[in-house]
Amino acid sequence: MRIHIRALSRWLLLGALSSLFCLSAQSNPDQKEWLQLFNGKNLDGWAVKITGHDLHDNYKNTFRVEDGVMKVSYDGYETFGNKFGHMFYREPFSYYILAVEYRFVGEQVAGGPNW
């Protein structure tokens, strides 16, 4: 499973009360065992990729965890420069359901696309 996050705002808040969940049932799609992918403390298990930078180079601390929430912030950037950020979980899943809450907060970084 790959989760792509394109953050255009100064802050993109992810998570519903510090949770990102996935329903994993690789051998049996009727199996209902929830696996919490985000621990609310850090980015363990996640790989960060930002355009123009190496995998795991969390350029300017773009992805972070604050107050139990996974955040994407371009507050360290002067301009956006097409630095789209992506996150990948450490293992693939055949079947999944994601529960995600996201919000755009604050001003968009200069040079971001007009979506």
Side-chain angles (χ1 to χ4, degrees), residues 46-62:
W46 294 90
V48 171
K49 175 65 175 105
I50 298 172
T51 302
H53 297 273
D54 292 334
L55 183 64
H56 303 293
D57 177 3
N58 192 8
Y59 179 71
K60 297 196 179 228
N61 197 30
T62 303

Side-chain angles (χ1 to χ4, degrees), residues 32-77:
K32 303 286 192 243
E33 291 185 33
W34 287 97
L35 173 63
Q36 186 169 342
L37 301 182
F38 174 58
N39 65 17
K41 299 175 186 174
N42 54 46
L43 299 175
D44 287 354
W46 294 90
V48 171
K49 175 65 175 105
I50 298 172
T51 302
H53 297 273
D54 292 334
L55 183 64
H56 303 293
D57 177 3
N58 192 8
Y59 179 71
K60 297 196 179 228
N61 197 30
T62 303
F63 293 90
R64 59 186 81 156
V65 177
E66 294 177 356
D67 300 321
V69 176
M70 186 184 297
K71 294 183 178 183
V72 181
S73 175
Y74 288 89
D75 63 353
Y77 293 62

Side-chain angles (χ1 to χ4, degrees), residues 53-107:
H53 297 273
D54 292 334
L55 183 64
H56 303 293
D57 177 3
N58 192 8
Y59 179 71
K60 297 196 179 228
N61 197 30
T62 303
F63 293 90
R64 59 186 81 156
V65 177
E66 294 177 356
D67 300 321
V69 176
M70 186 184 297
K71 294 183 178 183
V72 181
S73 175
Y74 288 89
D75 63 353
Y77 293 62
E78 289 187 30
T79 62
F80 181 67
N82 291 321
K83 299 278 188 194
F84 290 98
H86 308 275
M87 293 186 75
F88 304 90
Y89 192 66
R90 69 176 157 229
E91 63 182 272
F93 295 96
S94 297
Y95 304 96
Y96 51 88
I97 296 172
L98 296 176
V100 177
E101 175 185 328
Y102 65 91
R103 292 179 268 167
F104 291 94
V105 179
E107 298 297 319

